[in-house]
Amino acid sequence: MTQTQTPPNAIPPELKQQVTAWRRYLHQHPELSFQEHQTADYVEGELKKLPNLTLSRPTPTSILAVLKGAAGAGRTVLLRADMDALPIQEDTGLEFASQNPGVMHACGHDGHTAMLLGAATLLSASPETLRGEVRFIFQHAEELFPGGAQQVVDAGIMDGVDAVVGTHLMTPIPTGVIVLRDGPLLAASDVFNIRIEGKGGHAASPHETIDPVVIAAQIVLALQSVVSRQRDPLDPAVLSVTQINGGSAHNIIPGSVTMTGTVRTFDAELREKMPERMEKLIKGITEGYGASYTFDYENGYRAVINDPKITEMLREVTRETLGAEATLSEGRPIMGGEDFSAYLTKAPGTFIAIGAGGPGYAPHHHSKFTVDERALEHGVLLYVGAARRLTQAG
């Protein structure tokens, strides 16, 4: 009797079903950043069923699994998946929709975790075919600054690591398209808060007040010139004021107004200059009106800069493992942020965007978000291929 062989660009059918089952279970049981206790326990329980893995908890809600290859000396590679969910009420109507009110996997982290579990399953079953060492980090709290990546890095999981690989399922990208881009991929994401202290009073007597609403409006417009007139147009940057709060009634000029927003950059030098340039404008405008201000600027996640050499190796891995199943794309830089950048301060690496949708799929962080589960297999194969290739790369 002839036994059916799994094609080179596929995983065994039973594992494919298991990866889907893992994703759906995690989707039903989402937990917010820094609260992923049940998720971590579940993932650890699944990893304990696998052979040849050494498990530890770098933080209370993250899991590190270590697999030592038995085929000789090689490099150490870290594969990363994030596990946290978002404070969103799910509205997908899926039979495996969230069972936790107000919490939802609306960014694909359930899929990332399931894919890395699938990769751990395949690699741990055959350490004799693997050189070096593979570390699997199931990371907490990507969605909420200061982020889980920096915490697990501080715990030492990157000590001795030669290369790091992360993935992200992307619904704006059609299933089957794999984006591998050299250099800048995701922006540094910073946050600022401004408070304007004026002098409140009756709206019918504005001359007796120092109107912080008018001042805030001028500041919003002026800040746009930091990007449009104080930056090389070839260096991408975004400055957005996203919240303005002040006032209590139609006939009262408030005494103060608060503003919040975000700055996104790729270039480290430009990032460093942004707070100073912003404050000069804020200071000049508020003092010109006789008001005062406070300005707080907090650096968030660093930019994700893909290593060209590792990225090229992963292009070869994609061609070899997915073949005609996938279309390689250079893609474009994205002004969104990711704490994967914390790993890149310790070792070179690459972040892969995996197409998991296309037209008709809801965007990330949306109440109707879901992924095309066919992309889960692509993620498993890319993780496995990356581990085999990078552990033996010179």
Side-chain angles (χ1 to χ4, degrees):
M1 180 175 170
T2 303
Q3 185 174 9
T4 302
Q5 296 292 318
T6 301
N9 60 339
I11 61 178
E14 61 275 12
L15 179 57
K16 186 175 181 178
Q17 293 176 2
Q18 180 61 70
V19 170
T20 300
W22 281 324
R23 183 255 164 169
R24 293 185 177 190
Y25 176 86
L26 292 165
H27 193 89
Q28 282 185 303
H29 303 88
E31 293 179 294
L32 296 175
S33 304
F34 299 104
Q35 301 176 32
E36 311 92 334
H37 297 282
Q38 292 182 9
T39 302
D41 289 345
Y42 175 77
V43 171
E44 185 176 31
E46 295 303 300
L47 289 169
K48 285 180 177 179
K49 300 175 184 178
L50 304 179
N52 304 309
L53 295 177
T54 301
L55 306 182
S56 62
R57 291 283 190 109
T59 69
T61 56
S62 63
I63 309 98
L64 178 69
V66 178
L67 173 64
K68 294 187 180 297
R75 304 172 82 213
T76 297
V77 174
L78 180 81
L79 305 179
R80 176 265 203 167
D82 42 15
M83 303 191 297
D84 54 326
L86 288 157
I88 295 173
Q89 181 62 45
E90 182 164 353
D91 187 29
T92 61
L94 295 170
E95 61 180 11
F96 53 90
S98 171
Q99 296 180 2
N100 296 341
V103 184
M104 176 191 176
H105 272 295
C107 200
H109 297 191
D110 49 347
H112 306 163
T113 302
M115 294 186 311
L116 193 56
L117 281 170
T121 301
L122 287 175
L123 291 167
S124 65
S126 55
E128 69 282 355
T129 66
L130 190 69
R131 294 180 177 274
E133 179 177 301
V134 180
R135 299 179 190 177
F136 309 84
I137 180 64
F138 295 85
Q139 179 209 307
H140 64 302
E142 184 276 329
E143 296 286 0
L144 185 63
F145 185 78
Q150 190 61 56
Q151 290 188 341
V152 296
V153 168
D154 291 343
I157 74 159
M158 289 294 291
D159 294 348
V161 170
D162 298 298
V164 57
V165 175
T167 67
H168 206 300
L169 295 167
M170 301 292 291
T171 58
I173 302 173
T175 303
V177 175
I178 307 299
V179 175
L180 280 162
R181 181 178 180 83
D182 295 348
L185 179 67
L186 292 155
S189 53
D190 303 332
V191 177
F192 63 86
N193 292 281
I194 305 167
R195 184 178 181 88
I196 308 301
E197 292 288 352
K199 178 184 176 183
H202 200 292
S205 304
H207 60 291
E208 296 178 353
T209 73
I210 299 174
D211 191 344
V213 176
V214 172
I215 298 169
Q218 299 236 12
I219 288 173
V220 171
L221 294 175
L223 287 178
Q224 301 312 303
S225 70
V226 175
V227 171
S228 67
R229 291 296 180 268
Q230 300 184 47
R231 168 198 63 96
D232 186 330
L234 298 180
D235 290 333
V238 171
L239 192 164
S240 295
V241 177
T242 56
Q243 295 180 47
I244 302 178
N245 295 292
S248 59
H250 75 279
N251 58 353
I252 301 173
I253 291 175
S256 65
V257 168
T258 60
M259 295 184 285
T260 299
T262 185
V263 174
R264 306 297 173 102
T265 54
F266 286 107
D267 182 78
E269 184 177 351
L270 175 61
R271 184 190 193 193
E272 186 176 344
K273 292 177 179 177
M274 291 296 281
E276 179 185 357
R277 292 175 177 177
M278 293 171 64
E279 188 163 13
K280 282 182 178 180
L281 289 172
I282 297 166
K283 184 175 187 290
I285 293 170
T286 53
E287 288 184 350
Y289 280 92
S292 61
Y293 74 94
T294 57
F295 174 61
D296 297 314
Y297 191 101
E298 183 177 23
N299 283 343
Y301 300 152
R302 305 170 187 87
V304 172
I305 312 294
N306 282 346
D307 180 80
K309 183 178 179 181
I310 293 175
T311 302
E312 183 55 36
M313 291 181 187
L314 293 178
R315 288 191 187 101
E316 295 172 6
V317 167
T318 301
R319 296 186 191 101
E320 293 168 1
T321 58
L322 300 184
E325 286 284 318
T327 301
L328 274 167
S329 171
E330 285 289 322
R332 300 176 64 187
I334 302 168
M335 301 310 288
E338 236 285 354
D339 75 342
F340 182 77
S341 54
Y343 301 104
L344 300 178
T345 65
K346 298 295 184 180
T350 292
F351 197 65
I352 309 170
I354 300 174
Y361 278 81
H364 292 248
H365 294 208
H366 190 282
S367 63
K368 293 186 181 295
F369 177 88
T370 190
V371 299
D372 183 346
E373 291 181 330
R374 293 177 299 171
L376 299 176
E377 183 174 25
H378 299 162
V380 174
L381 291 169
L382 288 173
Y383 274 134
V384 171
R388 295 194 185 283
R389 179 62 185 274
L390 295 176
T391 50
Q392 60 184 331

